[in-house]
Amino acid sequence: MAEVLVLVDHVDGTVRKTTTEMLTAARRLGEPSAVFIGTGFDAARDTLARFGAVKAYRIESAEVTDHLVAPAAEALAQLVERTSPVAVLLPSSLDGKEIAGRLAIKTSSGVLTDAVDVQPTDGGVQVTKSVFAGDFEAVCASTHGSPVVTVKPNSIAAEEAPAELADEVVEVTVSDAARTARIVERSAKQQTGRPALSEAAIVVSGGRGTGGDFGPVETFADTLGAAVGASRAAVDAGWYPHSSQVGQTGVSVSPQLYVAAGISGAIQHRAGMQTSKTIVAVNKDPEAPIFEMVDFGVVGDLFQVLSQAADTISGS
Amino acid sequence: MNIVVCVKYVPDAQSERSFEPDNTTERESVDGLLSELDEYAVEEALAIAEAGDAEVTVLTMGPEAAAAAVKKSLQMGAHKGIHINDEAIAGSDAVATSRVLAAAIDKIGGVDLVLTGLGSTDGTMSVVPAMLAERLGLPQVTFASELSVDGGTVRIRRDGDVASETVEASLPAVVSVTDQINEPRYPSFKGIMAAKKKPVETWSLADLGVDAGEVGLGAAWTTVVSIEQRPPRSQGEIVTDEGQGGAALAEFLTSRKFA
């Protein structure tokens, strides 16, 4: 059976949920081969095997990890050359999309980004993606080379399928050109103890209506075990970090439940949350466009509504 | 220093969107404009030019109407414009777009810095800067939320979802900037008047030495099989808080097993 390369998304060997989702999608297309770049493979091994990876290519050279995306694209291109995979799956993250862009040019392959579904076709791959702020769904295919597909987190349900995993350390050659963008400093994001925004099953977001006080939004999020997001207005005002921004120029989320508190629902925000399964909004303004798309809405003051809801849930 | 800013003319995101029978974006009936995210790249180029000595060239590809994106950039303060306009370009995917832009940047020659936005507001793939860097054999330092140029080195801050990185590269380089980097200026009256006298060149594919068969819908390495409008979400229950709104919300979430 033909191989499907999956670029492992991990932090020092802790495999992110996106990877298990990509391995699940890869199994539909062929035999998943994990491509693990960096250190910490031993910590990742079990998870990769549990979700069906048959092979793992380990690339541990610091030449690859100390530089931005270009060496990773070169390493993957060498593996594509060697294995002629049915497809290469990468996470739809900043790095993932850029590696995909470079890989596509290197291997003369079509690139498809932000896939919410991946299915096999006659000898090929079809992906589904949301376009135009989530108003349309497009089914796309690559017609050239080994399709390079970036997969949107939280879109495909990860399913276990334990496999015998054989790993192999791969030496790759990195050109001088690929080493020109150096990462000179890296500081890990402060841990909030909450789930990662792009992977969370529940997201609670605050906007202009918070007036800068995210306390009730955070408390309510913690009651539900949710991640906290913010609208662009809240981020621009300096109330919440940009890494938490939900929308077109921030993170695009697709959780089981999305709660918008004090967010009017401009198209740029909708673009980042419209594919959420259930949507709830709390807003003072009954005319706020967000109410047009909710499964449940409360017209009222978010401070009172969220705290009463949190108390009710905690007490029950 | 020579700075080229790549900009895109996009359909207004607020308008009704639709597709042509060949699954390309319907652009005729929709007002277009300079992609909002490209304004940050233009602004950053202008800031660099104002702090030192740089010439800012704005580069776009697209139909006749795309000249509006160049014009707006010139009104903001860019020095000159290049518009690649060729019928064969229609329907080009990201791969072909990067081919054409790379050829144009080669033709311009002596470019120190290529600036772009973080993505277009229509296609939103964010892959063209990486593809450009690949084709031009240049380093890419992308998604910059801070940028500084010091001598022959560019240094940026890049905020990912798990870490914040400082990345540097020597020039020439391809740099994309986010909407966090600056506050784009509005064109002043003086800028609008001055833009009328600024040089804009229109180039065809032949001018770039790019074969028409390499670009356009027919040459795309990807294809859209089908497009369907997502059924509009129907409005659910809306309650007005008269003291029990929070309890009602809790009840809804419990009934759906979220709490």
Side-chain angles (χ1 to χ4, degrees), chain B residues 4-5 7 42 56-60 69-70 73-74 78 80-83:
Chain B
V4 170
V5 187
V7 300
V42 173
V56 179
T57 303
V58 49
L59 170 66
T60 198
V70 172
S73 308
L74 295 176
K80 58 180 191 177
I82 293 168
H83 178 186

Side-chain angles (χ1 to χ4, degrees), chain A residues 84-286:
Chain A
S84 304
V86 187
V88 184
L89 306 186
L90 307 95
S92 265
S93 57
L94 299 188
D95 287 6
K97 285 167 93 168
E98 295 197 306
I99 294 169
R102 282 185 171 256
L103 182 63
I105 301 291
K106 279 182 193 298
T107 60
S108 296
S109 302
V111 59
L112 301 159
T113 58
D114 296 313
V116 296
D117 194 18
V118 179
Q119 293 292 344
T121 55
D122 234 4
V125 179
Q126 268 190 358
V127 314
T128 305
K129 56 187 284 179
S130 286
V131 296
F132 289 157
D135 288 342
F136 292 83
E137 274 205 341
V139 176
C140 309
S142 164
T143 52
H144 221 270
S146 294
V148 179
V149 177
T150 74
V151 179
K152 207 169 141 179
N154 237 357
S155 304
I156 294 165
E159 286 163 25
E160 295 189 10
E164 285 289 324
L165 173 71
D167 68 285
E168 173 192 339
V169 176
V170 181
E171 295 299 331
V172 294
T173 50
V174 177
S175 69
D176 289 342
R179 278 180 275 173
T180 46
R182 299 168 300 279
I183 298 169
V184 292
E185 201 185 309
R186 181 182 270 142
S187 54
K189 283 266 148 68
Q190 207 182 343
Q191 295 299 313
T192 59
R194 298 191 182 99
L197 191 54
S198 62
E199 301 174 357
I202 303 178
V203 174
V204 180
S205 290
R208 207 186 294 274
T210 63
D213 180 3
F214 264 65
V217 170
E218 290 183 336
T219 305
F220 190 61
D222 292 342
T223 307
L224 299 174
V228 174
S231 72
R232 183 171 176 175
V235 170
D236 283 351
W239 298 341
Y240 226 67
H242 178 249
S243 53
S244 301
Q245 184 179 316
V246 172
Q248 188 181 44
T249 60
V251 183
S252 173
V253 299
S254 199
Q256 296 298 317
L257 170 66
Y258 186 84
V259 180
I263 294 175
S264 63
I267 186 162
Q268 288 81 357
H269 189 74
R270 297 208 311 266
M273 47 66 76
Q274 184 145 261
T275 55
S276 304
K277 312 293 177 294
T278 299
I279 299 176
V280 167
V282 181
N283 204 301
K284 258 195 236 177
D285 176 11

